Amino acid sequence: MLIATIGDIPPVRDGLTDTRRWKLHPSGVFTVKSLYSQLVAENGVPHFPTHFIWQQAIPPNICFLMWCLVHGKLNTIDTLQRKHMSLHNDCAGGEESQNHLFLHCKIAYKIWCNLTPTTGWSWVFPGSMRALEDTWHTQHFSQSGNYIWNLIPAAIVHTIWKERNCRRFEPTRLFKTDNDLILEVKTLVLTWAEAAGHRVNQNCSYTVLSNWEALFL
């Protein structure tokens, strides 16, 4: 392959020191960003929801979980069945798929309803995760409220996926109740915000238990 590229006659040596050159960056130096940009330009997903997935406040492993979800790559039961694995498919209120597990399952629905504010706000439930990321961004709330709002999807997805895996693979474990999961998501959102230096000027336990909607005002 190399000979086919450079030809049968080797290039003439000019006495200069060999150096590396990276054509995708003006400096000639390799950067991951320039390579990624080229890959996206050639084979990327149009209008990919970058800001919905890659957020500084959210741990990278959870951002990657969101990336897999938007691409439809999580190994939910329906996905494994398409890979010719013989598995029984059931979930609360239907068969397990990504959209059902994270949006339409009665447990997921209850979590979303408890995390989204209701005062002066009406949110139409999306039909799919891709529709969710298309419509999630908003400037409807206060600056602090918008910041908290953008952390909610990843916190819900992470909490549901973790609990789902425990229920699938640890049958002797005591499962969390719906209210336990709601409290876990709220605590996770506030923890990420605090760790990123975005202080919420309220008592955390009071906010989680009784005053969640005040965060958006």
Side-chain angles (χ1 to χ4, degrees), residues 52 55 58 66 111-112 114-117 123 132 136 141 145-159 185-186 188-189 192 212 216:
F52 179 79
Q55 298 191 55
I58 300 174
M66 295 294 289
I111 294 174
W112 284 103
N114 277 270
L115 266 290
T116 52
W123 181 58
L132 174 73
W136 186 257
F141 309 112
N146 291 330
Y147 186 87
I148 294 297
W149 176 263
N150 288 329
L151 301 179
I152 289 175
I156 291 179
V157 167
H158 170 67
T159 300
V185 173
K186 290 180 176 179
L188 192 58
V189 168
W192 287 347
W212 181 254
F216 300 93

PDB file of all heavy atoms in Angstrom, residues 52 55 58 66 111-112 114-117 123 132 136 141 145-159 185-186 188-189 192 212 216:
ATOM      1  N   PHE A  52     -26.780  19.356  24.145  1.00  0.00           N
ATOM      2  CA  PHE A  52     -27.690  18.535  24.938  1.00  0.00           C
ATOM      3  C   PHE A  52     -26.924  17.407  25.626  1.00  0.00           C
ATOM      4  O   PHE A  52     -27.297  16.973  26.717  1.00  0.00           O
ATOM      5  CB  PHE A  52     -28.780  17.964  24.033  1.00  0.00           C
ATOM      6  CG  PHE A  52     -29.778  17.080  24.741  1.00  0.00           C
ATOM      7  CD1 PHE A  52     -30.804  17.632  25.484  1.00  0.00           C
ATOM      8  CD2 PHE A  52     -29.698  15.696  24.636  1.00  0.00           C
ATOM      9  CE1 PHE A  52     -31.728  16.819  26.132  1.00  0.00           C
ATOM     10  CE2 PHE A  52     -30.612  14.878  25.273  1.00  0.00           C
ATOM     11  CZ  PHE A  52     -31.635  15.442  26.027  1.00  0.00           C
ATOM     12  N   GLN A  55     -21.984  18.309  28.415  1.00  0.00           N
ATOM     13  CA  GLN A  55     -22.075  19.435  29.338  1.00  0.00           C
ATOM     14  C   GLN A  55     -20.999  19.296  30.407  1.00  0.00           C
ATOM     15  O   GLN A  55     -20.801  18.217  30.973  1.00  0.00           O
ATOM     16  CB  GLN A  55     -23.452  19.502  29.988  1.00  0.00           C
ATOM     17  CG  GLN A  55     -24.589  19.721  28.994  1.00  0.00           C
ATOM     18  CD  GLN A  55     -25.893  20.035  29.698  1.00  0.00           C
ATOM     19  OE1 GLN A  55     -25.974  20.961  30.498  1.00  0.00           O
ATOM     20  NE2 GLN A  55     -26.925  19.265  29.394  1.00  0.00           N
ATOM     21  N   ILE A  58     -21.684  17.697  33.897  1.00  0.00           N
ATOM     22  CA  ILE A  58     -22.081  16.290  33.960  1.00  0.00           C
ATOM     23  C   ILE A  58     -20.858  15.397  33.765  1.00  0.00           C
ATOM     24  O   ILE A  58     -20.061  15.635  32.861  1.00  0.00           O
ATOM     25  CB  ILE A  58     -23.142  15.987  32.883  1.00  0.00           C
ATOM     26  CG1 ILE A  58     -24.381  16.864  33.119  1.00  0.00           C
ATOM     27  CG2 ILE A  58     -23.524  14.519  32.886  1.00  0.00           C
ATOM     28  CD1 ILE A  58     -25.427  16.748  32.034  1.00  0.00           C
ATOM     29  N   MET A  66     -25.539   9.364  27.431  1.00  0.00           N
ATOM     30  CA  MET A  66     -26.495  10.152  26.653  1.00  0.00           C
ATOM     31  C   MET A  66     -26.176  10.075  25.156  1.00  0.00           C
ATOM     32  O   MET A  66     -27.075  10.022  24.313  1.00  0.00           O
ATOM     33  CB  MET A  66     -26.470  11.601  27.134  1.00  0.00           C
ATOM     34  CG  MET A  66     -26.949  11.798  28.561  1.00  0.00           C
ATOM     35  SD  MET A  66     -28.699  11.408  28.746  1.00  0.00           S
ATOM     36  CE  MET A  66     -29.440  12.803  27.879  1.00  0.00           C
ATOM     37  N   ILE A 111     -41.296  10.220  37.096  1.00  0.00           N
ATOM     38  CA  ILE A 111     -40.068  10.967  37.398  1.00  0.00           C
ATOM     39  C   ILE A 111     -40.029  12.276  36.613  1.00  0.00           C
ATOM     40  O   ILE A 111     -39.764  13.344  37.173  1.00  0.00           O
ATOM     41  CB  ILE A 111     -38.826  10.108  37.089  1.00  0.00           C
ATOM     42  CG1 ILE A 111     -38.766   8.899  38.027  1.00  0.00           C
ATOM     43  CG2 ILE A 111     -37.548  10.948  37.234  1.00  0.00           C
ATOM     44  CD1 ILE A 111     -37.661   7.921  37.689  1.00  0.00           C
ATOM     45  N   TRP A 112     -40.292  12.219  35.310  1.00  0.00           N
ATOM     46  CA  TRP A 112     -40.283  13.435  34.479  1.00  0.00           C
ATOM     47  C   TRP A 112     -41.292  14.447  35.012  1.00  0.00           C
ATOM     48  O   TRP A 112     -40.993  15.652  35.082  1.00  0.00           O
ATOM     49  CB  TRP A 112     -40.609  13.087  33.030  1.00  0.00           C
ATOM     50  CG  TRP A 112     -39.486  12.450  32.279  1.00  0.00           C
ATOM     51  CD1 TRP A 112     -39.333  11.130  31.968  1.00  0.00           C
ATOM     52  CD2 TRP A 112     -38.322  13.107  31.738  1.00  0.00           C
ATOM     53  NE1 TRP A 112     -38.176  10.916  31.279  1.00  0.00           N
ATOM     54  CE2 TRP A 112     -37.532  12.107  31.116  1.00  0.00           C
ATOM     55  CE3 TRP A 112     -37.880  14.429  31.720  1.00  0.00           C
ATOM     56  CZ2 TRP A 112     -36.321  12.394  30.480  1.00  0.00           C
ATOM     57  CZ3 TRP A 112     -36.678  14.720  31.085  1.00  0.00           C
ATOM     58  CH2 TRP A 112     -35.917  13.720  30.483  1.00  0.00           C
ATOM     59  N   ASN A 114     -42.337  14.897  37.988  1.00  0.00           N
ATOM     60  CA  ASN A 114     -41.917  15.470  39.266  1.00  0.00           C
ATOM     61  C   ASN A 114     -40.679  16.362  39.140  1.00  0.00           C
ATOM     62  O   ASN A 114     -40.366  17.101  40.064  1.00  0.00           O
ATOM     63  CB  ASN A 114     -41.638  14.358  40.279  1.00  0.00           C
ATOM     64  CG  ASN A 114     -42.885  13.867  40.963  1.00  0.00           C
ATOM     65  OD1 ASN A 114     -43.271  14.376  42.010  1.00  0.00           O
ATOM     66  ND2 ASN A 114     -43.528  12.870  40.372  1.00  0.00           N
ATOM     67  N   LEU A 115     -39.972  16.268  38.020  1.00  0.00           N
ATOM     68  CA  LEU A 115     -38.770  17.084  37.815  1.00  0.00           C
ATOM     69  C   LEU A 115     -39.052  18.345  37.022  1.00  0.00           C
ATOM     70  O   LEU A 115     -38.285  19.305  37.082  1.00  0.00           O
ATOM     71  CB  LEU A 115     -37.685  16.258  37.121  1.00  0.00           C
ATOM     72  CG  LEU A 115     -36.650  15.554  38.001  1.00  0.00           C
ATOM     73  CD1 LEU A 115     -35.716  16.550  38.666  1.00  0.00           C
ATOM     74  CD2 LEU A 115     -37.296  14.639  39.027  1.00  0.00           C
ATOM     75  N   THR A 116     -40.110  18.362  36.231  1.00  0.00           N
ATOM     76  CA  THR A 116     -40.417  19.531  35.406  1.00  0.00           C
ATOM     77  C   THR A 116     -41.413  20.421  36.130  1.00  0.00           C
ATOM     78  O   THR A 116     -42.400  19.934  36.694  1.00  0.00           O
ATOM     79  CB  THR A 116     -41.009  19.103  34.051  1.00  0.00           C
ATOM     80  OG1 THR A 116     -42.101  18.209  34.275  1.00  0.00           O
ATOM     81  CG2 THR A 116     -39.949  18.382  33.223  1.00  0.00           C
ATOM     82  N   PRO A 117     -41.179  21.730  36.142  1.00  0.00           N
ATOM     83  CA  PRO A 117     -42.073  22.646  36.858  1.00  0.00           C
ATOM     84  C   PRO A 117     -43.437  22.734  36.189  1.00  0.00           C
ATOM     85  O   PRO A 117     -43.579  22.487  34.990  1.00  0.00           O
ATOM     86  CB  PRO A 117     -41.320  23.984  36.785  1.00  0.00           C
ATOM     87  CG  PRO A 117     -40.466  23.862  35.570  1.00  0.00           C
ATOM     88  CD  PRO A 117     -40.073  22.421  35.477  1.00  0.00           C
ATOM     89  N   TRP A 123     -45.388  21.584  29.482  1.00  0.00           N
ATOM     90  CA  TRP A 123     -44.419  20.844  28.676  1.00  0.00           C
ATOM     91  C   TRP A 123     -45.109  19.657  28.032  1.00  0.00           C
ATOM     92  O   TRP A 123     -45.725  18.836  28.707  1.00  0.00           O
ATOM     93  CB  TRP A 123     -43.264  20.375  29.556  1.00  0.00           C
ATOM     94  CG  TRP A 123     -42.202  19.635  28.821  1.00  0.00           C
ATOM     95  CD1 TRP A 123     -41.470  20.082  27.764  1.00  0.00           C
ATOM     96  CD2 TRP A 123     -41.728  18.306  29.108  1.00  0.00           C
ATOM     97  NE1 TRP A 123     -40.579  19.120  27.363  1.00  0.00           N
ATOM     98  CE2 TRP A 123     -40.711  18.023  28.165  1.00  0.00           C
ATOM     99  CE3 TRP A 123     -42.058  17.355  30.054  1.00  0.00           C
ATOM    100  CZ2 TRP A 123     -40.032  16.818  28.162  1.00  0.00           C
ATOM    101  CZ3 TRP A 123     -41.389  16.137  30.045  1.00  0.00           C
ATOM    102  CH2 TRP A 123     -40.375  15.885  29.106  1.00  0.00           C
ATOM    103  N   LEU A 132     -37.037  14.568  22.231  1.00  0.00           N
ATOM    104  CA  LEU A 132     -36.736  15.240  23.496  1.00  0.00           C
ATOM    105  C   LEU A 132     -35.573  16.201  23.341  1.00  0.00           C
ATOM    106  O   LEU A 132     -35.650  17.364  23.740  1.00  0.00           O
ATOM    107  CB  LEU A 132     -36.426  14.200  24.578  1.00  0.00           C
ATOM    108  CG  LEU A 132     -35.960  14.785  25.918  1.00  0.00           C
ATOM    109  CD1 LEU A 132     -37.136  15.428  26.643  1.00  0.00           C
ATOM    110  CD2 LEU A 132     -35.334  13.706  26.801  1.00  0.00           C
ATOM    111  N   TRP A 136     -35.811  20.257  24.017  1.00  0.00           N
ATOM    112  CA  TRP A 136     -35.554  20.464  25.448  1.00  0.00           C
ATOM    113  C   TRP A 136     -35.036  21.867  25.761  1.00  0.00           C
ATOM    114  O   TRP A 136     -35.403  22.471  26.764  1.00  0.00           O
ATOM    115  CB  TRP A 136     -34.560  19.415  25.956  1.00  0.00           C
ATOM    116  CG  TRP A 136     -34.384  19.504  27.451  1.00  0.00           C
ATOM    117  CD1 TRP A 136     -33.344  20.050  28.136  1.00  0.00           C
ATOM    118  CD2 TRP A 136     -35.307  19.035  28.441  1.00  0.00           C
ATOM    119  NE1 TRP A 136     -33.544  19.952  29.491  1.00  0.00           N
ATOM    120  CE2 TRP A 136     -34.750  19.331  29.700  1.00  0.00           C
ATOM    121  CE3 TRP A 136     -36.549  18.394  28.380  1.00  0.00           C
ATOM    122  CZ2 TRP A 136     -35.393  19.005  30.899  1.00  0.00           C
ATOM    123  CZ3 TRP A 136     -37.193  18.077  29.561  1.00  0.00           C
ATOM    124  CH2 TRP A 136     -36.609  18.386  30.809  1.00  0.00           C
ATOM    125  N   PHE A 141     -37.009  30.076  31.817  1.00  0.00           N
ATOM    126  CA  PHE A 141     -36.863  30.252  33.258  1.00  0.00           C
ATOM    127  C   PHE A 141     -35.804  31.319  33.571  1.00  0.00           C
ATOM    128  O   PHE A 141     -35.261  31.964  32.674  1.00  0.00           O
ATOM    129  CB  PHE A 141     -36.487  28.915  33.903  1.00  0.00           C
ATOM    130  CG  PHE A 141     -37.395  27.784  33.517  1.00  0.00           C
ATOM    131  CD1 PHE A 141     -36.940  26.740  32.728  1.00  0.00           C
ATOM    132  CD2 PHE A 141     -38.722  27.771  33.925  1.00  0.00           C
ATOM    133  CE1 PHE A 141     -37.777  25.704  32.354  1.00  0.00           C
ATOM    134  CE2 PHE A 141     -39.570  26.741  33.563  1.00  0.00           C
ATOM    135  CZ  PHE A 141     -39.093  25.699  32.781  1.00  0.00           C
ATOM    136  N   GLY A 145     -32.550  28.778  36.735  1.00  0.00           N
ATOM    137  CA  GLY A 145     -33.516  27.751  36.359  1.00  0.00           C
ATOM    138  C   GLY A 145     -33.170  27.087  35.043  1.00  0.00           C
ATOM    139  O   GLY A 145     -33.311  25.867  34.895  1.00  0.00           O
ATOM    140  N   ASN A 146     -32.697  27.862  34.064  1.00  0.00           N
ATOM    141  CA  ASN A 146     -32.285  27.296  32.778  1.00  0.00           C
ATOM    142  C   ASN A 146     -31.097  26.355  32.954  1.00  0.00           C
ATOM    143  O   ASN A 146     -31.005  25.322  32.273  1.00  0.00           O
ATOM    144  CB  ASN A 146     -31.926  28.416  31.799  1.00  0.00           C
ATOM    145  CG  ASN A 146     -33.140  29.213  31.357  1.00  0.00           C
ATOM    146  OD1 ASN A 146     -34.252  28.693  31.300  1.00  0.00           O
ATOM    147  ND2 ASN A 146     -32.931  30.482  31.057  1.00  0.00           N
ATOM    148  N   TYR A 147     -30.183  26.717  33.853  1.00  0.00           N
ATOM    149  CA  TYR A 147     -29.010  25.875  34.103  1.00  0.00           C
ATOM    150  C   TYR A 147     -29.444  24.527  34.691  1.00  0.00           C
ATOM    151  O   TYR A 147     -29.004  23.459  34.238  1.00  0.00           O
ATOM    152  CB  TYR A 147     -28.060  26.588  35.057  1.00  0.00           C
ATOM    153  CG  TYR A 147     -26.755  25.865  35.271  1.00  0.00           C
ATOM    154  CD1 TYR A 147     -25.678  26.071  34.411  1.00  0.00           C
ATOM    155  CD2 TYR A 147     -26.594  24.966  36.324  1.00  0.00           C
ATOM    156  CE1 TYR A 147     -24.479  25.400  34.597  1.00  0.00           C
ATOM    157  CE2 TYR A 147     -25.395  24.295  36.517  1.00  0.00           C
ATOM    158  CZ  TYR A 147     -24.347  24.519  35.653  1.00  0.00           C
ATOM    159  OH  TYR A 147     -23.165  23.849  35.840  1.00  0.00           O
ATOM    160  N   ILE A 148     -30.313  24.566  35.695  1.00  0.00           N
ATOM    161  CA  ILE A 148     -30.814  23.344  36.313  1.00  0.00           C
ATOM    162  C   ILE A 148     -31.586  22.505  35.299  1.00  0.00           C
ATOM    163  O   ILE A 148     -31.448  21.283  35.227  1.00  0.00           O
ATOM    164  CB  ILE A 148     -31.718  23.686  37.511  1.00  0.00           C
ATOM    165  CG1 ILE A 148     -30.903  24.355  38.634  1.00  0.00           C
ATOM    166  CG2 ILE A 148     -32.429  22.447  38.035  1.00  0.00           C
ATOM    167  CD1 ILE A 148     -29.826  23.494  39.232  1.00  0.00           C
ATOM    168  N   TRP A 149     -32.393  23.169  34.488  1.00  0.00           N
ATOM    169  CA  TRP A 149     -33.213  22.491  33.475  1.00  0.00           C
ATOM    170  C   TRP A 149     -32.353  21.644  32.543  1.00  0.00           C
ATOM    171  O   TRP A 149     -32.719  20.510  32.202  1.00  0.00           O
ATOM    172  CB  TRP A 149     -33.982  23.544  32.689  1.00  0.00           C
ATOM    173  CG  TRP A 149     -34.803  23.050  31.546  1.00  0.00           C
ATOM    174  CD1 TRP A 149     -34.448  23.035  30.235  1.00  0.00           C
ATOM    175  CD2 TRP A 149     -36.129  22.495  31.588  1.00  0.00           C
ATOM    176  NE1 TRP A 149     -35.455  22.524  29.439  1.00  0.00           N
ATOM    177  CE2 TRP A 149     -36.507  22.178  30.263  1.00  0.00           C
ATOM    178  CE3 TRP A 149     -37.037  22.240  32.619  1.00  0.00           C
ATOM    179  CZ2 TRP A 149     -37.736  21.623  29.947  1.00  0.00           C
ATOM    180  CZ3 TRP A 149     -38.271  21.681  32.309  1.00  0.00           C
ATOM    181  CH2 TRP A 149     -38.610  21.385  30.987  1.00  0.00           C
ATOM    182  N   ASN A 150     -31.205  22.156  32.138  1.00  0.00           N
ATOM    183  CA  ASN A 150     -30.355  21.446  31.182  1.00  0.00           C
ATOM    184  C   ASN A 150     -29.671  20.220  31.791  1.00  0.00           C
ATOM    185  O   ASN A 150     -29.174  19.369  31.051  1.00  0.00           O
ATOM    186  CB  ASN A 150     -29.297  22.405  30.621  1.00  0.00           C
ATOM    187  CG  ASN A 150     -29.898  23.415  29.668  1.00  0.00           C
ATOM    188  OD1 ASN A 150     -30.879  23.135  28.984  1.00  0.00           O
ATOM    189  ND2 ASN A 150     -29.326  24.608  29.627  1.00  0.00           N
ATOM    190  N   LEU A 151     -29.647  20.119  33.113  1.00  0.00           N
ATOM    191  CA  LEU A 151     -29.028  18.967  33.766  1.00  0.00           C
ATOM    192  C   LEU A 151     -30.018  17.821  33.989  1.00  0.00           C
ATOM    193  O   LEU A 151     -29.612  16.688  34.244  1.00  0.00           O
ATOM    194  CB  LEU A 151     -28.435  19.376  35.120  1.00  0.00           C
ATOM    195  CG  LEU A 151     -27.360  20.465  35.113  1.00  0.00           C
ATOM    196  CD1 LEU A 151     -26.898  20.752  36.541  1.00  0.00           C
ATOM    197  CD2 LEU A 151     -26.175  20.065  34.248  1.00  0.00           C
ATOM    198  N   ILE A 152     -31.293  18.119  33.891  1.00  0.00           N
ATOM    199  CA  ILE A 152     -32.325  17.142  34.251  1.00  0.00           C
ATOM    200  C   ILE A 152     -32.309  15.887  33.381  1.00  0.00           C
ATOM    201  O   ILE A 152     -32.344  14.759  33.917  1.00  0.00           O
ATOM    202  CB  ILE A 152     -33.717  17.809  34.236  1.00  0.00           C
ATOM    203  CG1 ILE A 152     -33.836  18.772  35.428  1.00  0.00           C
ATOM    204  CG2 ILE A 152     -34.830  16.771  34.278  1.00  0.00           C
ATOM    205  CD1 ILE A 152     -35.122  19.579  35.432  1.00  0.00           C
ATOM    206  N   PRO A 153     -32.267  15.978  32.029  1.00  0.00           N
ATOM    207  CA  PRO A 153     -32.338  14.736  31.237  1.00  0.00           C
ATOM    208  C   PRO A 153     -31.254  13.724  31.571  1.00  0.00           C
ATOM    209  O   PRO A 153     -31.543  12.527  31.717  1.00  0.00           O
ATOM    210  CB  PRO A 153     -32.202  15.244  29.792  1.00  0.00           C
ATOM    211  CG  PRO A 153     -32.718  16.647  29.837  1.00  0.00           C
ATOM    212  CD  PRO A 153     -32.270  17.175  31.168  1.00  0.00           C
ATOM    213  N   ALA A 154     -30.008  14.167  31.695  1.00  0.00           N
ATOM    214  CA  ALA A 154     -28.915  13.234  31.981  1.00  0.00           C
ATOM    215  C   ALA A 154     -29.087  12.597  33.354  1.00  0.00           C
ATOM    216  O   ALA A 154     -28.797  11.401  33.531  1.00  0.00           O
ATOM    217  CB  ALA A 154     -27.569  13.952  31.896  1.00  0.00           C
ATOM    218  N   ALA A 155     -29.561  13.374  34.326  1.00  0.00           N
ATOM    219  CA  ALA A 155     -29.764  12.829  35.673  1.00  0.00           C
ATOM    220  C   ALA A 155     -30.857  11.764  35.668  1.00  0.00           C
ATOM    221  O   ALA A 155     -30.731  10.716  36.316  1.00  0.00           O
ATOM    222  CB  ALA A 155     -30.114  13.953  36.646  1.00  0.00           C
ATOM    223  N   ILE A 156     -31.928  12.011  34.927  1.00  0.00           N
ATOM    224  CA  ILE A 156     -33.022  11.031  34.850  1.00  0.00           C
ATOM    225  C   ILE A 156     -32.565   9.770  34.121  1.00  0.00           C
ATOM    226  O   ILE A 156     -32.802   8.645  34.580  1.00  0.00           O
ATOM    227  CB  ILE A 156     -34.242  11.652  34.151  1.00  0.00           C
ATOM    228  CG1 ILE A 156     -34.865  12.737  35.041  1.00  0.00           C
ATOM    229  CG2 ILE A 156     -35.285  10.577  33.836  1.00  0.00           C
ATOM    230  CD1 ILE A 156     -36.064  13.433  34.423  1.00  0.00           C
ATOM    231  N   VAL A 157     -31.909   9.932  32.989  1.00  0.00           N
ATOM    232  CA  VAL A 157     -31.445   8.785  32.208  1.00  0.00           C
ATOM    233  C   VAL A 157     -30.483   7.934  33.020  1.00  0.00           C
ATOM    234  O   VAL A 157     -30.595   6.696  33.070  1.00  0.00           O
ATOM    235  CB  VAL A 157     -30.781   9.257  30.897  1.00  0.00           C
ATOM    236  CG1 VAL A 157     -30.012   8.107  30.235  1.00  0.00           C
ATOM    237  CG2 VAL A 157     -31.839   9.802  29.935  1.00  0.00           C
ATOM    238  N   HIS A 158     -29.524   8.583  33.684  1.00  0.00           N
ATOM    239  CA  HIS A 158     -28.541   7.845  34.485  1.00  0.00           C
ATOM    240  C   HIS A 158     -29.217   7.070  35.615  1.00  0.00           C
ATOM    241  O   HIS A 158     -28.912   5.891  35.839  1.00  0.00           O
ATOM    242  CB  HIS A 158     -27.522   8.825  35.058  1.00  0.00           C
ATOM    243  CG  HIS A 158     -26.610   8.220  36.087  1.00  0.00           C
ATOM    244  ND1 HIS A 158     -25.684   7.251  35.778  1.00  0.00           N
ATOM    245  CD2 HIS A 158     -26.504   8.442  37.425  1.00  0.00           C
ATOM    246  CE1 HIS A 158     -25.029   6.903  36.875  1.00  0.00           C
ATOM    247  NE2 HIS A 158     -25.515   7.594  37.885  1.00  0.00           N
ATOM    248  N   THR A 159     -30.142   7.720  36.305  1.00  0.00           N
ATOM    249  CA  THR A 159     -30.812   7.079  37.443  1.00  0.00           C
ATOM    250  C   THR A 159     -31.676   5.908  36.993  1.00  0.00           C
ATOM    251  O   THR A 159     -31.650   4.826  37.609  1.00  0.00           O
ATOM    252  CB  THR A 159     -31.678   8.111  38.186  1.00  0.00           C
ATOM    253  OG1 THR A 159     -30.834   9.179  38.653  1.00  0.00           O
ATOM    254  CG2 THR A 159     -32.385   7.479  39.370  1.00  0.00           C
ATOM    255  N   VAL A 185     -32.720  11.655  41.639  1.00  0.00           N
ATOM    256  CA  VAL A 185     -32.500  12.513  40.477  1.00  0.00           C
ATOM    257  C   VAL A 185     -32.325  13.967  40.917  1.00  0.00           C
ATOM    258  O   VAL A 185     -31.412  14.665  40.473  1.00  0.00           O
ATOM    259  CB  VAL A 185     -33.662  12.397  39.482  1.00  0.00           C
ATOM    260  CG1 VAL A 185     -33.507  13.423  38.359  1.00  0.00           C
ATOM    261  CG2 VAL A 185     -33.728  11.000  38.888  1.00  0.00           C
ATOM    262  N   LYS A 186     -33.198  14.443  41.780  1.00  0.00           N
ATOM    263  CA  LYS A 186     -33.111  15.829  42.240  1.00  0.00           C
ATOM    264  C   LYS A 186     -31.785  16.098  42.961  1.00  0.00           C
ATOM    265  O   LYS A 186     -31.139  17.134  42.731  1.00  0.00           O
ATOM    266  CB  LYS A 186     -34.291  16.149  43.163  1.00  0.00           C
ATOM    267  CG  LYS A 186     -35.634  16.215  42.461  1.00  0.00           C
ATOM    268  CD  LYS A 186     -36.763  16.534  43.442  1.00  0.00           C
ATOM    269  CE  LYS A 186     -38.097  16.690  42.727  1.00  0.00           C
ATOM    270  NZ  LYS A 186     -39.205  16.987  43.672  1.00  0.00           N
ATOM    271  N   LEU A 188     -29.005  14.467  42.547  1.00  0.00           N
ATOM    272  CA  LEU A 188     -27.932  14.389  41.561  1.00  0.00           C
ATOM    273  C   LEU A 188     -27.798  15.709  40.795  1.00  0.00           C
ATOM    274  O   LEU A 188     -26.682  16.205  40.583  1.00  0.00           O
ATOM    275  CB  LEU A 188     -28.209  13.238  40.599  1.00  0.00           C
ATOM    276  CG  LEU A 188     -27.081  12.798  39.664  1.00  0.00           C
ATOM    277  CD1 LEU A 188     -25.855  12.385  40.457  1.00  0.00           C
ATOM    278  CD2 LEU A 188     -27.550  11.643  38.788  1.00  0.00           C
ATOM    279  N   VAL A 189     -28.918  16.289  40.391  1.00  0.00           N
ATOM    280  CA  VAL A 189     -28.895  17.564  39.662  1.00  0.00           C
ATOM    281  C   VAL A 189     -28.251  18.649  40.504  1.00  0.00           C
ATOM    282  O   VAL A 189     -27.369  19.393  40.036  1.00  0.00           O
ATOM    283  CB  VAL A 189     -30.326  17.977  39.259  1.00  0.00           C
ATOM    284  CG1 VAL A 189     -30.348  19.420  38.763  1.00  0.00           C
ATOM    285  CG2 VAL A 189     -30.872  17.059  38.183  1.00  0.00           C
ATOM    286  N   TRP A 192     -24.414  18.039  40.908  1.00  0.00           N
ATOM    287  CA  TRP A 192     -23.648  18.436  39.717  1.00  0.00           C
ATOM    288  C   TRP A 192     -23.514  19.956  39.644  1.00  0.00           C
ATOM    289  O   TRP A 192     -22.438  20.469  39.344  1.00  0.00           O
ATOM    290  CB  TRP A 192     -24.347  17.936  38.459  1.00  0.00           C
ATOM    291  CG  TRP A 192     -24.250  16.467  38.238  1.00  0.00           C
ATOM    292  CD1 TRP A 192     -23.414  15.587  38.875  1.00  0.00           C
ATOM    293  CD2 TRP A 192     -25.025  15.683  37.328  1.00  0.00           C
ATOM    294  NE1 TRP A 192     -23.618  14.315  38.407  1.00  0.00           N
ATOM    295  CE2 TRP A 192     -24.589  14.336  37.457  1.00  0.00           C
ATOM    296  CE3 TRP A 192     -26.029  15.980  36.412  1.00  0.00           C
ATOM    297  CZ2 TRP A 192     -25.128  13.308  36.707  1.00  0.00           C
ATOM    298  CZ3 TRP A 192     -26.574  14.963  35.648  1.00  0.00           C
ATOM    299  CH2 TRP A 192     -26.132  13.626  35.795  1.00  0.00           C
ATOM    300  N   TRP A 212     -38.889  22.345  45.027  1.00  0.00           N
ATOM    301  CA  TRP A 212     -38.157  22.131  43.781  1.00  0.00           C
ATOM    302  C   TRP A 212     -38.456  23.198  42.745  1.00  0.00           C
ATOM    303  O   TRP A 212     -37.555  23.715  42.071  1.00  0.00           O
ATOM    304  CB  TRP A 212     -38.479  20.748  43.237  1.00  0.00           C
ATOM    305  CG  TRP A 212     -37.759  20.408  41.969  1.00  0.00           C
ATOM    306  CD1 TRP A 212     -38.279  20.350  40.711  1.00  0.00           C
ATOM    307  CD2 TRP A 212     -36.364  20.094  41.829  1.00  0.00           C
ATOM    308  NE1 TRP A 212     -37.319  20.008  39.796  1.00  0.00           N
ATOM    309  CE2 TRP A 212     -36.129  19.853  40.454  1.00  0.00           C
ATOM    310  CE3 TRP A 212     -35.312  19.977  42.740  1.00  0.00           C
ATOM    311  CZ2 TRP A 212     -34.875  19.506  39.971  1.00  0.00           C
ATOM    312  CZ3 TRP A 212     -34.059  19.635  42.254  1.00  0.00           C
ATOM    313  CH2 TRP A 212     -33.849  19.403  40.888  1.00  0.00           C
ATOM    314  N   PHE A 216     -36.581  27.291  39.546  1.00  0.00           N
ATOM    315  CA  PHE A 216     -36.763  27.762  38.171  1.00  0.00           C
ATOM    316  C   PHE A 216     -37.243  29.214  38.107  1.00  0.00           C
ATOM    317  O   PHE A 216     -37.336  29.783  37.021  1.00  0.00           O
ATOM    318  CB  PHE A 216     -37.767  26.861  37.446  1.00  0.00           C
ATOM    319  CG  PHE A 216     -37.324  25.427  37.374  1.00  0.00           C
ATOM    320  CD1 PHE A 216     -37.705  24.505  38.335  1.00  0.00           C
ATOM    321  CD2 PHE A 216     -36.490  25.004  36.343  1.00  0.00           C
ATOM    322  CE1 PHE A 216     -37.280  23.196  38.277  1.00  0.00           C
ATOM    323  CE2 PHE A 216     -36.077  23.692  36.263  1.00  0.00           C
ATOM    324  CZ  PHE A 216     -36.453  22.778  37.237  1.00  0.00           C
TER     325      PHE A 216
END
